[in-house]
Amino acid sequence: MSYGPPRPVARLLLTPEDKEAPARAQRLLRLGLAEQPDPALDAFADRLAELAAAPYAMVNFIGESRQFFAGLHVRRPVSLERVDDTKPVLGRHMERDHGFCPHVVVRHKALVLEDVSDYPRFAGNPIVDEYGIRSYLGAPLIDSTGMALGTVCVVDVEPRAWGRAGLDTIKASAAELTMRLERRAADGLPL
């Protein structure tokens, strides 16, 4: 039996380490995708929400310390941050350890969570309690360099059986938007 100082307890890393974050932040700046809302990306999120029949849809770019929703569709008016001590309202910024998009970016793979409460790793995420999110469907925006710039995603406050059609839709939407973003950067064209 040891009576020395207690050893540190290893904690479960819920948000994966993101070694690409510094390079991604620089790439987003070069592409002109800094933290500014973009009406064309809002329109893209609106269309994605309609395709998925989801109340929320986002085009999300992940920086070094937080996430930014450059495109955002919500079913009710949005405040940019927490209004008071009540339940926060989904806005344009979110901490990096909130939500599921950072997992998609690090993994470079789509993620389907039909009911987040079925997954202990995700059920304890702050957005489950703070925003009432119960289901998620997201895919990475992987550019021609192989870097995941961010995600396109849809979420719901109810469990959802997204199915193969939902997965195919989100992946195709991510590929389409990535191509449009790169074309815009290369040619100066609008989205």
Side-chain angles (χ1 to χ4, degrees), residues 52-68:
Y56 303 101
M58 296 80 133
V59 175
N60 185 10
F61 297 118
I62 311 231
E64 290 187 72
S65 61
R66 67 182 185 173
Q67 305 174 60
F68 176 69

Side-chain angles (χ1 to χ4, degrees), residues 2 13 24 28 34 41 44 48 56 66 73 78 82 84 88-89 99 103 112 114 123 125-126 153:
S2 172
L13 182 61
R24 179 183 317 103
L28 290 170
L41 295 177
F44 190 90
L48 185 58
Y56 303 101
R66 67 182 185 173
H73 170 88
V78 174
R82 185 182 295 269
D84 52 29
V89 178
H103 296 270
V112 179
E114 294 182 344
N125 195 287
C153 68

Side-chain angles (χ1 to χ4, degrees), residues 22-37:
R24 179 183 317 103
Q26 291 302 311
R27 178 102 171 108
L28 290 170
L29 281 173
R30 283 192 306 275
L31 291 172
L33 299 171
E35 293 192 7
Q36 297 175 6

